[in-house]
Amino acid sequence: MSTQSSRVRSMNETRERILDVALAMLGENPDAGMGDIASAAGVVRRTVYDHFPSRLDLVRTLTERAVTEMTVVLTEVNASDAAADAAWVEFIARLWPVAHRYRVLLALRRGEYGEAIHALLGPVDELLADLVKRGQDDDVFAHHLPAGPLSQLAYGVVFAIADSDLSNGTLGARAATITSLLMLGVPESRAIALVGDQP
């Protein structure tokens, strides 16, 4: 292997390590600075800035990672023939580890990076609205709100529970699924039956 390709691989590994450390640190403290992230990643501050010229670039890259992971899950779930409420349950079950890992984006979305994060989440928002619209068309989900806002409310609940201190066990995913289904207008008995024994 050439020296050039070794250097590129090393740079990519460093970049990924910085992102993983940043995600963990920001999850604990959304106000963590670039210096804190550099120390925790075992690199000098300059190295962080070489990869991410600003904190916004770092947050934007983390959001892009989250969007990629969520889009894959949503696209697969939307392609299934399952009823919309059953598809939602599968979506949350598969999304939960992602939501838990990227829960800091909820806090950052409410702050100075809100506009950038919101713009990047566009494809996820569209896929969610499509799934909720399918449920409304089949009279599985409520009609009191248009599909877009209703999907955002239900989806927001998942991240709110992921962000809560109570969600560090298997109760979190179950609570998030049932609560989001209730927000979508699914009767409680149906929501509980759909979730079943799922952890």
Side-chain angles (χ1 to χ4, degrees), residues 53-109:
S54 70
R55 198 164 185 271
L56 176 58
D57 290 310
L58 180 66
V59 169
R60 194 180 276 135
T61 304
L62 288 173
T63 306
E64 286 166 355
R65 273 173 92 182
V67 167
T68 299
E69 291 181 43
M70 289 187 281
T71 302
V72 167
V73 172
L74 259 173
T75 302
E76 289 173 4
V77 167
N78 271 349
S80 80
D81 293 332
D85 53 359
W88 184 273
V89 170
E90 184 188 346
F91 165 59
I92 301 304
R94 292 178 57 190
L95 174 79
W96 183 253
V98 180
H100 209 262
R101 196 162 57 251
Y102 291 101
R103 65 194 181 280
V104 67
L105 295 178
L106 190 70
L108 294 174
R109 192 176 189 175

Side-chain angles (χ1 to χ4, degrees), residues 15 18-19 22 26 30 32-35 37-38 45-64 108 112-113 116 120:
R15 184 178 188 273
I18 292 167
L19 285 170
L26 291 170
M34 299 291 260
I37 292 165
R45 200 177 155 115
R46 177 77 211 145
T47 303
V48 175
Y49 280 108
D50 283 345
H51 290 282
F52 307 103
S54 70
R55 198 164 185 271
L56 176 58
D57 290 310
L58 180 66
V59 169
R60 194 180 276 135
T61 304
L62 288 173
T63 306
E64 286 166 355
L108 294 174
E112 62 184 299
Y113 305 117
L120 289 168

Side-chain angles (χ1 to χ4, degrees), residues 165-180:
D165 290 334
L166 302 173
S167 64
N168 53 11
T170 53
L171 174 67
R174 184 178 173 79
T177 308
I178 292 171
T179 307
S180 61

